Every structure is written in structure tokens, then in C-alpha cells.
Amino acid sequence: MIGVFDSGVGGLTVLRALVAELPAEQFVYLGDTARLPYGTKSAETVVRYALQASEALAAFRLKCLVIACNTASAVALPAVRARIASVPVIGVIEPGAEAACAASRSGHIAVIATEGTVRGGAYQQAILRRRHAAQVTAVPAPLFVALAEEGLCEGPIAAAVAHHYLDPLFAAAGRIDTLVLGCTHFPMLAGAIRGVVGARIGIVDSAQTTARHVRQALEQAGIAATGGEGGVRLLATDAPQRFARVGARFLARPIAPDEVTLIDL
Ligand code: DGL
């Protein structure tokens, strides 16, 4: 079983990529919908929540734990690794930074994320560790989270918000050639974002690179499932019906309300 957790439904974009990359694996996904958003909370609070979510998932005899939430990956990865020491714990920041460095020619990289992810500087540090001369500009884009939850992923409102965040970013730093979508919700708005930044900017989605990273880690450890049918189990800490309704868009398949089990942390 592979555990995946996020602050809510956004991490289903990561789960979708994981299922596509590892179709024979069993997944258990926990969305901490009772305490969403993590992106506006202090690092101390996010660490506490992430440890509780990780411990709840550890009860499922995991072979790997994926922190799908960028904010939790940014501030809580070392604490979760220390607590859940028996299995590999993989966050989304390092794979996203790796993909950004591979994609960028100019070394000028922009990151859009939640306030908490930007404030902690995790993307900036992860990119600079790999590419010392990189110029990283990270800005919070919190309204994208609300738009994705509301299903307003395209059209005039999404375009206006994308202009609001991205026009100043790209006007101020003309050599940016790569944009990292450093939040679970942002791949849902990739079309609107592409419409503003144009075709010459590389858009890096940490969901896909994380899924590849997890597959490589399992294969290297010799613990990847090689056959049989995979499956997904969904857990939420509040409002399972809303999780099913909103989450269906993120997972790109219908979710029946009785597929989501309510749990307490
Ligand atoms: N999952 C969060 C992230 O990727 C976005 C939503 C939240 O703020 O909790 O940073």
C-alpha cells in the first residue's frame, strides 16, 4: 500500500499521476479537509497536522508515503521522515525542483505556490542546491486554490486572476523561461496559466515528476508491484460528500460519496 496525503482534494492531482505511473499499486489517500487550507497556516501548525496525517496512514502497512501537499512537503518533510522512519517518505518539492532545473535553459525560474510554501523558501533552496547560479522568483498565488475548488479553471475569471499574478512576475524578470506550479491545485488551471504566459515558457507540474520519482524509488528498492490490479482507497477528515463532488474534477473520474471514508485524526 502506498499512502498519499494532502490538506484536501488538491493532492488528487498527484494521486491521478501516481495511478497513471503505477497502475498495479494499491493507494490510500487522506485529505485533511477538516483543516484545509494548510497554505495560510504557520509552519508549526502544518508540521503538527502533517505528523498526525502521516501517523494515521502508517496504520495501513505502507511501503511508501507520498506527501502530495506542497505546503506540507515544504515545511514538514524532515519531521515526517523522522517520525515514519520505516518507509521512504517522498515530498513534491524535490522532484518539482529537479524538473524545473532540467527544463530551464536560462536558469531564471519562477515558482507560484501558497504563502506557506513561498515563505519557507523550500523550492528556492531545492532549485539552488541543484543549480547554484539559478535566479528563482517565488510568489504566492492563493486565489488559484479557490478557483480550482470552485471549478472555475477557465474563462474570464480564471484569465483575470492569472493575469493578476503572472503579468507582474513576467514583466519584472524578462529572462524567466520556466514556471513551476508549486501547489496541488494549480495543474487544474494550467490552460489559463498557459494562456497568459504564452507558448515559450516551460510549465513544470510537480505531480507528474513526483509520480516518476516514486516509481523509480520503488523499482530501485525492488518493491514495485509488477502485476495485478491496483486500487484506490479515499479518506477525508470532513465533508466526504464535498470531497467526492469537488475531488472528482481533480482525480478526473467520478467519485461515489460512499467511496470516501470519514476519519478523525
Ligand atoms: N495542498 C496545498 C498545497 O499544495 C494547497 C491547499 C492548501 O493551502 O491547503 O500547497
Side-chain angles (χ1 to χ4, degrees):
M1 188 79 93
I2 297 174
V4 183
F5 91 84
D6 179 47
S7 52
V9 293
L12 293 171
T13 57
V14 179
L15 181 66
R16 183 171 80 189
L18 284 164
V19 170
E21 191 77 25
L22 295 158
E25 297 288 350
Q26 298 289 336
F27 294 93
V28 53
Y29 178 97
L30 168 59
D32 191 7
T33 42
R35 304 188 290 194
L36 174 109
Y38 283 10
T40 52
K41 299 204 165 67
S42 69
E44 294 72 24
T45 298
V46 174
V47 169
R48 187 155 49 85
Y49 290 175
L51 288 174
Q52 289 170 349
S54 304
E55 279 174 350
L57 284 173
F60 286 85
R61 290 189 36 206
L62 303 180
K63 60 179 173 182
C64 178
L65 175 63
V66 180
I67 306 181
C69 177
N70 287 255
T71 310
S73 298
V75 302
L77 186 62
V80 174
R81 281 194 172 139
R83 185 73 61 89
I84 314 289
S86 54
V87 297
V89 179
I90 297 173
V92 289
I93 305 284
E94 296 291 332
E98 197 177 296
C101 291
S104 178
R105 286 168 160 238
S106 69
H108 289 239
I109 297 169
V111 181
I112 49 173
T114 64
E115 270 173 59
T117 300
V118 170
R119 195 178 49 224
Y123 267 112
Q124 296 92 312
Q125 288 154 25
I127 290 168
L128 288 169
R129 265 199 306 279
R130 290 174 170 80
R131 194 154 167 181
H132 302 296
Q135 299 285 325
V136 189
T137 313
V139 294
L143 284 176
F144 282 152
V145 173
L147 287 178
E149 295 257 338
E150 288 300 317
L152 288 171
C153 296
E154 46 198 50
I157 300 177
V161 175
H163 277 292
H164 171 75
Y165 289 127
L166 299 170
D167 286 350
L169 182 61
F170 282 85
R175 293 186 60 211
I176 291 173
D177 67 356
T178 304
L179 174 67
V180 180
L181 307 184
C183 174
T184 48
H185 288 59
F186 297 178
M188 302 294 293
L189 288 131
I193 292 168
R194 170 65 73 201
V196 171
V197 301
R200 73 168 193 92
I201 303 295
I203 295 181
V204 171
D205 168 355
S206 60
Q208 282 163 15
T209 50
T210 300
R212 276 200 295 277
H213 203 85
V214 172
R215 180 171 56 72
Q216 284 158 7
L218 296 181
E219 285 173 357
Q220 271 161 21
I223 53 172
T226 48
E229 214 179 315
V232 169
R233 191 160 169 187
L234 301 170
L235 314 172
T237 54
D238 193 21
Q241 297 203 339
R242 183 177 193 278
F243 182 100
R245 180 169 47 80
V246 180
R249 282 197 299 272
F250 288 75
L251 195 54
R253 72 151 168 88
I255 301 174
D258 62 4
E259 257 188 88
V260 187
T261 306
L262 185 63
I263 66 157
D264 203 10
L265 295 182

